[in-house]
Amino acid sequence: MPYPPPPRTPSGPRRRTLLASAAGAALLVGCSTGTEDSDGGTGGSPSVVERARARAAGESTDLVARYDAVIAVHPALAQRLGPLRAEAVRHAEAFGSTRQASPRTSETSPSGSPTAASPSAAVPVDEKDALADLAAAERTLADRRAKALLDLPGELARLLASVAAAGAAHAYLLTESAK
């Protein structure tokens, strides 16, 4: 008697694998040697920590602006992207961001002067392409954060690891949405 064909398995990582990887990364970063200073650092200078925190806050705020731009061009995606955008806002706040991203305001350069291009100018017309671009942005940022956390002390490294894991999950969800 012939056996039935195996069930079709979805491409990409399974949810359990993704969550286990994120939990494993958080546990690895959560380990410490017990040599932390009284200020919660592990010897990193405050200027390095402050710069890393400001950079992470700015990157999260920029990501919120990307979500806003996609939602402005593709309002039908607002309900699907809303929770991911809200998480990006919480990430920016966790890093201490006080900047507000708005789809109606023009972009500003690091010096504070407005730039010529609006965020919505770079949004693809096709919804699938827009979702793929957002997924690529989340993946790139998550990878950059995962590399950066190795050079940071204690609590900030743990926060960065958590946000990087969330960004990787967002990239996965956006990729699945684009299919």
Side-chain angles (χ1 to χ4, degrees), residues 30-102:
C31 297
S32 69
T33 61
T35 59
E36 293 190 31
D37 299 332
S38 61
D39 65 352
T42 57
S45 70
S47 61
V48 170
V49 171
E50 290 169 7
R51 283 194 313 261
R53 187 178 290 278
R55 182 175 45 252
E59 290 169 340
S60 291
T61 302
D62 292 345
L63 189 60
V64 171
R66 288 185 82 139
Y67 275 102
D68 288 342
V70 171
I71 292 169
V73 173
H74 302 287
L77 295 175
Q79 185 174 2
R80 189 180 328 173
L81 297 179
L84 299 177
R85 181 198 178 278
E87 283 296 313
V89 168
R90 282 191 283 278
H91 296 160
E93 291 169 351
F95 289 119
S97 177
T98 56
R99 263 185 9 192
Q100 295 294 317
S102 170

Side-chain angles (χ1 to χ4, degrees), residues 11 23 28 37 73 85 89 94-95 112 118 127 130 134-136 142-143 146 170:
S11 64
L28 284 174
D37 299 332
V73 173
R85 181 198 178 278
V89 168
F95 289 119
S118 70
E127 284 185 3
L134 269 177
D143 290 346
H170 291 178

Side-chain angles (χ1 to χ4, degrees), residues 69-81 123-135 173-179:
V70 171
I71 292 169
V73 173
H74 302 287
L77 295 175
Q79 185 174 2
R80 189 180 328 173
L81 297 179
V123 175
V125 176
D126 182 55
E127 284 185 3
K128 285 186 178 186
D129 291 341
L131 289 173
D133 281 359
L134 269 177
L173 293 172
L174 289 165
T175 301
E176 290 300 307
S177 294
K179 289 182 180 178

